[in-house]
Amino acid sequence: MAVGELDFRTCPVTGLKIHRPAERLIKINAVTAVVFLLVGGIVALLIALTRWPAVHLLPAVYYYRLLTLHGIAMLVAWIIFFEIAAVYFCCTALLNSRLAAPKLGWLAYFLMLIGAAIVAITILAGKADVMFTSYVPLKASPWYYFGVILFAVGALIGISLFFASVVKAKNEGTYTGSLPLVSFGVAIACIIAVLTLAHGAIIYIPTFLWSLGLIQNIDAAMYRIIFWGFGHSSQQINVAAMISIWYLLSTLTVGGKPLNQKVCRTAFILYALFINIASAHHILVDPGPSAAWKVWNTSYAMYLAVLASLIHAFAVPATVEVALRKKGYTKGLFEWLKKAPWGDPGFSSLAISILLFGVMGGITGVIQGTEQLNIRNHNTLNIVGHFHGTVVAGTTVAFMGLTYYVIPLIFQREIISKGLAKLQPYIYGIGLVLLSGGMILAGMFGVPRRHWDITFAATQFPMSWDPTVSFALGLLGLGGVIAVIGGAIFIYIAVGSLLWGKKTG
Amino acid sequence: MAEGKGGFEAPGTFVLAIVFLIFFILFYFLNWKWLAGIWHVG
């Protein structure tokens, strides 16, 4: 056996060669992601119970503070730690190869961890009540911006490792031809990530200097445009990564093979070219940019990214259908759907992710990205309903589904409480339908986002709302509670399996 | 199956996609209608 071979083990289930140093990094990043999911989930419960008028739990200052923490813990830490784990998996196990520089992977991990910890502590200390967007002239402690920059540098190192490992694998001939589709999708996610982090550096470094008093002024309009090149684009990394995981789950759960790889790859390329431009929809009511700029970016270019999502949303279920028809479920139009492995949490997560991402996240996104329609929805809860449909019901559910496979394949542990695991995606999914649905409905009636008390009860001019709003916010609260229960079950199963699950390797 | 010849190998998915598109079109149209209700032109 060659010396380098000692660094590998072969997965007894899939036959994949697993690079042990990469495996250790995958494990630590995945576990850290789940820890931040726990933090974000606890905070989510408190926020949902505050926006539910019948409960209205938190005082104003803690509502805004914890809302800031929720955004950072969920949109940044949970998602990106998990994505880095997925990135390392796709450039090693799927390419039959090794991670180019594992020590750099650890450097990336600690930078991200320290950065996220600094940000979280600064928020909890009350020094950064600026929301996820930290719009100037709201000013946080310099530690907040420093933590974000540290995290971003770590993530950039992790992404660079992906590209270096792909080149290494190609040079060593561990794979031939094009990258496998899943790795290709992750490569597109990494390209978008580089663009995203560049925007982050352009805006966060001067804002950091501004918070230190070294720069006198940051233009608020300029900040918004560049921030959203970072803030929304970071969610596009999630979309590309999530869809890669859809393809991976379709293979792991039913043995699916993409029907037409060229079409799927073209759709991924459309993301790389056009999805960042979708960020312009955040600027649709800003007075600075021209109407022509807004309409080109959102009503033309953005639709090419939407086209890509429609292609994937057709290609993945079609892959599943063809695989199940090959197994003999050919009766009528939908026997394959009836006989699909709905008791496999990986498969049910895949189905829920596709359905909710498309219906709750996708359709609302297109509507909000249309300049005229955006006027009705801008800064309402409708927007929050949209991105809980994409990032939570889409991305998080897909990541949860993959976790049910990562635990036995990478951590070599059996899943505990299999009955509960079967139910978990459905509980979480139902919670999210109510949560996002309540937000979308409330937003349609003009209920603002990021608002502690929409009744203005303590003022001299209290505001009254259509009775439907109470119903919608009740749905939001109830859905939030159910989703948090579903999330808690997931964390219990994931962590419990690592601690008490039977060893398989 | 040979690559590029998938087409109607997935008729169930095709029907689901059409249902999704119809819902998409209806909801998009309704949003314009609701906009027209609050934003009177002329």
Side-chain angles (χ1 to χ4, degrees), chain A residues 119-200:
Chain A
V119 171
I121 291 167
T122 310
I123 294 169
L124 286 172
K127 304 287 185 192
D129 294 337
V130 290
M131 307 282 100
F132 171 70
T133 45
S134 55
Y135 285 141
V136 296
L138 284 178
K139 190 186 278 183
S141 155
W143 283 107
Y144 174 84
Y145 306 107
F146 178 69
V148 173
I149 292 167
L150 218 54
F151 185 92
V153 171
L156 192 57
I157 293 172
I159 288 158
S160 306
L161 260 183
F162 171 85
F163 291 117
S165 302
V166 169
V167 171
K168 197 177 177 74
K170 188 77 179 170
N171 289 342
E172 291 178 357
T174 62
Y175 75 98
T176 51
S178 305
L179 278 174
L181 183 63
V182 175
S183 298
F184 184 84
V186 168
I188 294 292
C190 288
I191 290 169
I192 298 170
V194 172
L195 293 170
T196 302
L197 292 168
H199 282 89

Side-chain angles (χ1 to χ4, degrees), chain A residues 49-67:
Chain A
L49 291 177
T50 304
R51 293 238 50 174
W52 189 355
V55 182
H56 205 48
L57 182 69
L58 295 171
V61 69
Y62 283 102
Y63 168 75
Y64 291 108
R65 190 164 297 163
L66 294 185
L67 192 55

Side-chain angles (χ1 to χ4, degrees), chain A residues 304-315:
Chain A
L304 292 170
V306 172
L307 174 67
S309 290
L310 290 173
I311 291 170
H312 291 305
F314 182 81

Side-chain angles (χ1 to χ4, degrees), chain A residues 198-235:
Chain A
H199 282 89
I202 291 168
I203 201 58
Y204 272 112
I205 291 171
T207 310
F208 171 57
L209 298 176
W210 170 70
S211 71
L212 286 169
L214 299 174
I215 288 179
Q216 289 304 307
N217 181 50
I218 299 282
D219 182 83
M222 183 272 296
Y223 178 93
R224 284 172 60 81
I225 292 175
I226 302 175
F227 173 82
W228 283 115
F230 165 80
H232 200 89
S233 303
S234 60
Q235 309 319 313

